[in-house]
């Protein structure tokens, strides 16, 4: 896979200034790498992040709105008064209380903080899985479930969705019985499809799973449903959330809520000081303005329906129902998914192409809901592209 904005070999083969690199050591390095780095890692490409300079960015489910001046002033003050010479404090209870209050975590539950929920996913797999143990998720879903499981020596099982991209419950239950996964990840709503699995289906999975079920609510602020109030109802459930999709993707903060006994075990694997003091200070300041985050999420949620409806009006476009701040659309008119993606890119509009990611996602593009002007620009570009 080529990485946009980072030509292949750019940094790896760059000779050190003033020290010409001879071929002999380079060959030596390749041999050492081949004999040292895991084969499955050598075959991978690094997680692709597109160069977005000067583009309309609708590819990563970021919130298009910047925080208001008053909030930024508060952040500036909090950061200025944060000493950088000391490690982060051991006692995070003040921030834990603030997070629990802001996000409706039940009093009796504990929370675990991560450097983004990506880190929490690793912590869960590392704490639960011996090498070769199964980690299971409906598929396609969040790619990092698969990546983290592999990196941490677990065996990833993706259970295909139906052709309508809904949950195949009988297949899920059969796979759980067969593979006895230590961990089941359920993104509710699901990324990249946008679907929200029914309560009954989720309950059936929780009741059948022998190990831990992680309900990943990254997109919960855009949905009608949350499992947070019920996180203590079953003996094998934790709820994972992130602030990335509600305006703070740059901050890298995720949290896991669950029974104190589960959180205590997972906490043992957490890298010490994983939440740096600047993130802590910034988050504390932002949470004093929580209604600002809620209002931004409400705007995106309100704009999702009209965007989806307008996309569905385009020739040859099928839009899948979404409960997130994005919509997945299949392009099967004159131009296929790859061609539409490229045509938009040429017009400096970035969306995410899943055409080649999985057979169930053939010709599918994922579009984040942007600010109204961005959505309008996308729609008029698509109109032009599809009628050419
Ligand atoms: C974006 C996303 C996350 C990642 O969140 P970070 O906190 O930014 O690491 C987790 N789960 C799903 C399903 C996502 O789409």
């Amino acid at each position: 896979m080529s990485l946009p904005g980072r030509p292949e070999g750019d940094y790896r083969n760059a000779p050190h200034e003033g020290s010409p690199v001879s071929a002999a050591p380079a060959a030596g390095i390749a041999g050492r790498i081949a004999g040292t780095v895991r084969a499955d890692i050598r075959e991978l490409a690094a997680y692709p992040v597109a160069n977005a300079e000067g583009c309309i960015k609708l590819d990563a489910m970021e919130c298009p709105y910047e925080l208001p001046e008053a909030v930024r002033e508060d952040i500036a003050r909090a950061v200025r008064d944060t000493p950088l010479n000391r490690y982060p404090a051991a006692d995070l209870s003040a921030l834990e209380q603030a997070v629990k209050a802001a996000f409706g975590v039940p009093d009796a539950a504990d929370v675990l903080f991560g450097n983004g929920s990506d880190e929490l996913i690793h912590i869960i797999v590392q704490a639960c899985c011996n090498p070769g143990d199964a980690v299971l998720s409906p598929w396609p879903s969040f790619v990092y479930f698969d990546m983290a499981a592999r990196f941490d020596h677990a065996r990833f099982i993706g259970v295909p969705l139906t052709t309508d991209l809904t949950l195949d419950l009988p297949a899920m239950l059969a796979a759980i019985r067969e593979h006895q996964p230590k961990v089941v990840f359920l993104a509710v709503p699901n990324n990249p499809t946008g679907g929200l699995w029914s309560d009954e289906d989720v309950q059936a999975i929780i009741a059948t799973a022998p190990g831990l079920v992680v309900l990943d609510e990254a997109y919960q602020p855009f949905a009608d449903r949350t499992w947070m109030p019920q996180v203590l109802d079953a003996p094998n459930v934790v709820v994972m959330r992130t602030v990335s999709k509600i305006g703070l993707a740059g901050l890298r903060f995720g949290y896991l809520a669950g029974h104190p006994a589960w959180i205590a075990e997972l906490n043992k694997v957490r890298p010490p000081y994983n939440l740096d003091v600047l993130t802590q200070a910034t988050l504390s300041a932002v949470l004093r303005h929580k209604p600002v985050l809620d209002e931004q999420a409400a705007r995106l949620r309100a704009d999702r329906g009209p965007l989806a409806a307008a996309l569905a009006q385009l020739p040859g476009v099928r839009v899948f129902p979404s409960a997130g701040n994005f919509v997945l659309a299949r392009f099967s008119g004159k131009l296929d998914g790859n061609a539409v993606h490229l045509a938009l890119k040429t017009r400096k509009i970035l969306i995410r192409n899943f055409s080649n990611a999985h057979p169930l996602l053939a010709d599918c593009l994922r579009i984040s809901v942007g600010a109204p002007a961005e959505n309008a620009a996308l729609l008029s570009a698509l109109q032009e592209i599809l009628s050419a």
Side-chain angles (χ1 to χ4, degrees):
M1 192 187 300
S2 82
L3 307 181
R6 209 168 83 178
E8 255 277 277
D10 209 16
Y11 57 94
R12 269 173 291 176
N13 301 327
H16 230 276
E17 223 181 307
S19 63
V21 175
S22 74
I29 290 171
R32 289 299 172 95
I33 287 175
T36 306
V37 176
R38 286 161 44 175
D40 59 334
I41 301 295
R42 278 185 280 125
E43 278 167 21
L44 289 176
Y47 192 87
V49 177
N51 177 10
E53 219 174 287
C55 293
I56 292 180
K57 198 168 181 314
L58 302 174
D59 63 337
M61 279 85 87
E62 293 147 325
C63 173
Y65 305 112
E66 286 184 11
L67 292 171
E69 190 60 25
V71 183
R72 289 157 66 169
E73 284 295 329
D74 255 16
I75 294 171
R77 223 171 297 123
V79 166
R80 186 196 61 203
D81 294 339
T82 299
L84 294 175
N85 57 320
R86 303 290 179 197
Y87 280 110
D91 179 10
L92 298 182
S93 53
L95 189 58
E96 286 166 6
Q97 276 316 312
V99 166
K100 287 176 70 171
F103 296 110
V105 178
D107 284 338
D110 272 356
V111 284
L112 181 70
F113 295 157
N115 186 336
S117 34
D118 291 348
E119 185 181 53
L120 294 169
I121 295 168
H122 273 296
I123 289 173
I124 292 163
V125 177
Q126 288 168 354
C128 297
C129 294
N130 289 306
D133 279 347
V135 169
L136 185 145
S137 175
W139 209 249
S141 184
F142 187 41
V143 286
Y144 209 68
F145 298 151
D146 181 351
M147 290 168 67
R150 285 166 197 266
F151 295 165
D152 298 335
H153 303 279
R155 183 166 49 96
F156 183 79
I157 314 279
V159 181
L161 299 175
T162 67
T163 49
D164 289 328
L165 304 183
T166 59
L167 194 76
D168 187 343
L169 185 67
M172 277 295 289
L173 299 184
I176 290 171
R177 291 196 184 97
E178 181 188 344
H179 297 285
Q180 296 290 304
K182 285 289 185 68
V183 182
V184 175
F185 285 106
L186 285 182
V188 278
N190 192 46
N191 170 19
T193 60
L196 181 65
W197 315 141
S198 77
D199 287 7
E200 295 70 28
D201 287 3
V202 174
Q203 295 282 15
I205 289 166
I206 292 169
T208 307
L212 184 62
V213 177
V214 181
L215 301 176
D216 179 351
E217 292 195 335
Y219 299 98
Q220 187 283 327
F222 312 102
D224 288 321
R225 177 74 171 100
T226 173
W227 289 86
M228 192 61 90
Q230 291 153 278
V231 66
L232 301 174
D233 290 1
N236 60 335
V237 170
V238 289
V239 171
M240 187 166 69
R241 296 259 190 91
T242 176
V243 296
S244 294
K245 312 292 156 51
I246 55 171
L248 300 167
L251 198 60
R252 308 311 299 135
F253 176 78
Y255 61 96
L256 195 68
H259 191 282
W262 273 112
I263 299 298
E265 293 302 324
L266 300 173
N267 186 45
K268 296 172 187 174
V269 180
R270 180 177 61 86
Y273 314 124
N274 66 331
L275 202 63
D276 68 82
V277 289
L278 298 180
T279 297
Q280 293 184 30
T282 305
L283 185 68
S284 304
V286 174
L287 289 184
R288 290 196 286 273
H289 304 272
K290 173 71 173 11
V292 170
L293 302 184
D294 296 338
E295 198 265 331
Q296 290 178 347
R299 273 200 266 170
L300 293 174
R301 200 184 142 138
D303 290 344
R304 173 183 64 209
L307 174 64
L311 287 168
Q313 293 293 308
L314 296 168
V317 177
R318 173 178 181 189
V319 176
F320 294 91
S322 172
N325 60 338
F326 60 91
V327 288
L328 187 79
R330 172 169 288 142
F331 290 77
S332 41
K334 268 185 293 181
L335 295 180
D336 67 4
N338 286 321
V340 173
H341 178 251
L342 186 65
L344 286 171
K345 203 168 158 187
T346 308
R347 288 167 171 77
K348 292 195 160 282
I349 299 175
L350 297 183
I351 63 174
R352 189 68 182 260
N353 185 9
F354 283 90
S355 300
N356 317 312
H358 189 281
L360 285 168
L361 299 179
D363 294 314
C364 284
L365 305 179
R366 190 192 62 197
I367 301 160
S368 309
V369 182
E374 297 175 317
N375 301 335
L378 169 89
L379 287 167
S380 75
L382 280 174
Q383 250 138 20
E384 214 178 281
I385 291 163
L386 293 176
S387 65

